[in-house]
Amino acid sequence: MIYKTYKPIDSVGRIVIPKDFRDAVGFKEFEDLLIEVEDGKIVLSKAELNCVFCGKTSGLRSYMGKTVCENCVKALNS
Ligand SMILES: [Zn+2]
């Protein structure tokens, strides 16, 4: 299914993503989104958290302001 609509951008740059659009791609309330500019288009996607060193997506924690897995934290501390 193709979704298309027109929305105004408010004075501080916000737009409302319609609920049926959010549901169609699985965006949930309070979930972080990744915002990128690609080829002149703004692209929104789910922010997938992963370890900045190895890419692992589980066992994550914040370490010195970065998302890092437990194994990499151990490696950094050894
Ligand atoms: Zn890691």
Side-chain angles (χ1 to χ4, degrees):
M1 177 177 248
I2 296 174
Y3 293 87
K4 185 181 241 182
T5 190
Y6 297 91
K7 290 286 184 178
I9 299 173
D10 76 9
S11 62
V12 293
R14 294 177 294 198
I15 62 168
V16 174
I17 303 170
K19 184 176 186 326
D20 52 338
F21 284 50
R22 289 180 273 136
D23 290 346
V25 295
F27 288 174
K28 295 179 177 66
E29 191 175 7
F30 304 116
E31 184 174 53
D32 287 335
L33 298 178
L34 174 64
I35 304 171
E36 303 170 290
V37 174
E38 290 181 7
D39 300 324
K41 295 180 178 179
I42 296 173
V43 179
L44 301 176
S45 54
K46 286 184 158 191
E48 301 289 344
L49 292 179
N50 49 24
C51 175
V52 296
F53 295 109
C54 71
K56 190 175 171 185
T57 58
S58 61
L60 301 174
R61 59 183 275 195
S62 179
Y63 181 79
M64 299 181 73
K66 303 291 183 192
T67 302
V68 183
C69 75
E70 292 293 337
N71 290 341
C72 288
V73 169
K74 288 177 188 168
L76 289 167
N77 288 326
S78 61

